Amino acid sequence: MVAVGPNANPLDDPADVAALAEHAEVLLRAVDGVLGLWVVRVVRLRWCAWADDEPSLGLISAAAAAGDQAREAIVPSLGALLRTDVDAQPSNPLSLLRAAIAYPTQVLADAGVPDVVRDPDAERLFPDDRYDLTPGSFSDIDESLHDPGLAWGAAKAHVVLARRRRGGAS
């Protein structure tokens, strides 16, 4: 096994690490392409459910601006996480994406949309999610994130398991 780069783990197969890095970049690009659209979509859905009417252009414009802010805040953090060694990752991509609910939440609150009734477990797990927007999976943000998220997760699991086996752990 040849170590790749100055911080490479000697237990890793360079091909596995390269595959994980590629899956991470695919996931990052996919999230970058849809996160802003997700903000607009959930604002529109919550508005329509509450007002029983289409949102104004002003509200959609505010949602689009919030979507841009979400991308600017979340995508770099996600990139940093995905580029961190698997044993040093303090969280997972979905937990970072869940933080994006702050952006549509602010737009909805500013528009006067009241909180929705949520499941007690959702209230306990996600107390700041006034509008029940927290994604349970990559697909909840956009269906196009399912495959990249799954591929990245499988590649990460492969690297972790292979590292443990090479290190003597089971």
Side-chain angles (χ1 to χ4, degrees):
M1 226 172 313
V2 178
V4 179
N7 298 321
N9 188 313
L11 297 176
D12 290 340
D13 180 332
D16 292 346
V17 173
L20 176 60
E22 178 58 30
H23 288 299
E25 290 304 313
V26 168
L27 178 58
L28 184 62
R29 285 191 305 268
V31 167
D32 189 38
V34 300
L35 188 59
L37 299 172
W38 172 79
V39 171
V40 173
R41 186 173 61 252
V42 297
V43 165
R44 182 183 177 284
L45 288 171
R46 286 297 177 260
W47 175 269
C48 290
W50 173 66
D52 198 28
D53 194 14
E54 288 297 316
S56 69
L57 290 178
L59 184 62
I60 294 299
S61 185
D68 290 342
Q69 291 172 342
R71 283 182 53 244
E72 290 169 9
I74 303 293
V75 171
S77 298
L78 179 61
L81 175 72
L82 292 172
R83 293 179 187 109
T84 299
D85 181 78
V86 295
D87 285 333
Q89 291 177 356
S91 63
N92 62 64
L94 194 54
S95 68
L96 290 180
L97 292 173
R98 286 177 175 148
I101 67 158
Y103 299 91
T105 294
Q106 188 62 56
V107 173
L108 292 164
D110 289 349
V113 177
D115 297 1
V116 300
V117 176
R118 297 188 301 140
D119 174 89
D121 287 332
E123 289 180 1
R124 181 180 53 80
L125 293 169
F126 307 108
D128 297 330
D129 186 6
R130 301 169 46 186
Y131 300 105
D132 201 26
L133 304 174
T134 301
S137 68
F138 289 115
S139 296
D140 289 343
I141 295 165
D142 192 273
E143 194 61 39
S144 69
L145 296 182
H146 177 266
D147 288 348
L150 189 63
W152 174 83
K156 178 182 176 180
H158 176 77
V159 167
V160 168
L161 291 173
R163 186 180 287 181
R164 301 298 179 270
R165 286 186 193 113
R166 289 183 187 106
S170 54

